[in-house]
Amino acid sequence: MGNRMRLARYAAAVVVFTLMTGVGADLLSRRAPGLAGPFLIAGVSGLLGSVTAASGRPRPARWTMLTGAAAAAAAGVVLAPDGLDRGFVIGAGLLVAALLAIFALLATPRAKQARADRPG
């Protein structure tokens, strides 16, 4: 029953991060790399992290998502266009990165808790 609960817990996250990756790909096709970069990075790392966490490996999942959040924030700043849209693009990239980091910290148990939850 524990595996079913773990899979159910991360199923919605997998759907959300898959949609986020799709949005990033659409933004890239519309030649908006400043927004596409953070969405693609956060979507892929969130998807990988959620699948890893669902498979019972919370520590690598947490690091995958936190690294992805840092990369998404950096991509938002680096890929932001000059001009009026720069602040918006940077803000959107930082928001996506912050939400991924918050999810990583809340959705994956700490090392002590993860050891206590293991059977046997």
Side-chain angles (χ1 to χ4, degrees), residues 21 48 58 64 70 77 80 86 119:
T21 303
L48 291 173
T64 298
V77 173
R86 183 166 179 79

Side-chain angles (χ1 to χ4, degrees), residues 20-80:
M20 185 181 284
T21 303
V23 168
D26 183 56
L27 287 166
L28 192 60
S29 73
R30 295 174 189 269
R31 295 188 176 106
L35 287 173
F39 273 84
L40 283 169
I41 293 168
V44 170
S45 62
L47 180 62
L48 291 173
S50 296
V51 170
T52 304
S55 68
R57 298 178 57 203
R59 191 169 188 179
R62 179 179 279 210
W63 282 110
T64 298
M65 290 187 278
L66 290 176
T67 303
V77 173
V78 170
L79 297 174

Side-chain angles (χ1 to χ4, degrees), residues 48-115:
L48 291 173
S50 296
V51 170
T52 304
S55 68
R57 298 178 57 203
R59 191 169 188 179
R62 179 179 279 210
W63 282 110
T64 298
M65 290 187 278
L66 290 176
T67 303
V77 173
V78 170
L79 297 174
D82 292 331
L84 189 61
D85 294 335
R86 183 166 179 79
F88 172 77
V89 171
I90 290 172
L94 293 177
L95 178 64
V96 168
L99 292 174
L100 177 60
I102 290 168
F103 176 76
L105 295 173
L106 294 177
T108 56
R110 295 182 202 187
K112 278 185 176 178
Q113 184 182 355
R115 282 191 296 256

Side-chain angles (χ1 to χ4, degrees), residues 1-11 54:
M1 190 66 125
N3 282 340
R4 287 184 185 174
M5 292 301 290
R6 188 176 333 146
L7 291 175
R9 187 183 319 161
Y10 295 107

